[in-house]
Amino acid sequence: NPLRVGWPAPELSARDARAYANWFGVPVEDLPVATVVFAADDTQRPFLTANHGMWKFFEPALRQRLADLEKHASTVERVRGALVEALPAGEVSMVAVCRRLGVSTRTLQRRLREEGSSFQQTLDALRHSLANHYLHHSSLSGTEISFLLGFEDPNSFVRAFQTWSGSTPQAVRLAHSNG
């Protein structure tokens, strides 16, 4: 169990606050950055799923398959993959994605332009797709979805969602639940 959990401005309902406290074992705090603190002793514990013998057997084939996928993936797909990993941590800048992909910002911009896209278009399309998924397939609050998509505050998420879809997240969820 973590010793401390928090993220920026967790405007949670009493029900959500209880649910998070039950899940994490501690209340969620309003902290400047997403934070999970564990006891130092926890670093000595093995992962429940760790199996070194099995890993040694599968690792070479897995690494080869990842390398093959990487060769065939478009730049947009690679950026989307990096963003999916980075969004919950709020790392949505082009610099952060370039660091993950091991390319310069100019190279990334050029490759995306060659594929008829841009960093912002790729980020917006991914956020829109994930937002729709969360709204249709989860009971996450708007604040939680905003956090998962790397927005600094829920209002920014609502404005962006209205730009993408012409509707509010609440209206989309309501229409889906009534449909």
Side-chain angles (χ1 to χ4, degrees):
N1 284 339
L3 300 175
R4 187 174 186 201
V5 174
W7 56 80
E11 300 171 17
L12 303 173
S13 68
R15 189 187 95 210
D16 288 345
R18 281 191 306 278
Y20 279 120
N22 289 338
W23 174 259
F24 290 116
V26 294
V28 174
E29 301 175 47
D30 181 2
L31 299 174
V33 294
T35 304
V36 179
V37 177
F38 291 97
D41 294 345
D42 289 336
T43 62
Q44 303 304 312
R45 293 181 172 178
F47 285 107
L48 295 177
T49 59
N51 183 323
H52 296 291
M54 192 174 268
W55 175 248
K56 284 181 182 180
F57 178 78
F58 285 113
E59 181 184 21
L62 289 172
R63 292 209 184 274
Q64 183 59 50
R65 287 184 72 186
L66 285 173
D68 291 345
L69 286 172
E70 192 75 13
K71 280 188 246 176
H72 301 295
S74 70
T75 301
V76 170
E77 291 169 332
R78 293 180 69 217
V79 169
R80 282 178 60 97
L83 284 168
V84 164
E85 294 175 11
L87 279 174
E91 297 174 359
V92 296
S93 72
M94 185 183 302
V95 171
V97 170
C98 287
R99 196 175 317 116
R100 283 180 177 268
L101 297 177
V103 298
S104 71
T105 55
R106 286 184 184 223
T107 298
L108 182 64
Q109 288 171 326
R110 180 177 44 80
R111 289 179 182 168
L112 287 170
R113 193 170 41 253
E114 288 169 359
E115 293 179 18
S117 190
S118 70
F119 181 78
Q120 193 61 51
Q121 288 172 326
T122 304
L123 174 60
D124 288 345
L126 176 64
R127 281 176 159 171
H128 185 202
S129 174
L130 289 171
N132 277 320
H133 175 80
Y134 294 140
L135 290 168
H136 291 121
H137 302 289
S138 78
S139 60
L140 294 170
S141 71
T143 300
E144 292 165 322
I145 293 171
S146 170
F147 170 74
L148 289 172
L149 297 180
F151 284 95
E152 297 214 0
D153 71 279
N155 291 332
S156 296
F157 164 59
V158 171
R159 284 191 302 276
F161 192 87
Q162 285 178 306
T163 300
W164 303 324
S165 66
S167 186
T168 66
Q170 297 82 358
V172 168
R173 178 169 275 160
L174 184 62
H176 176 74
S177 65
N178 289 336

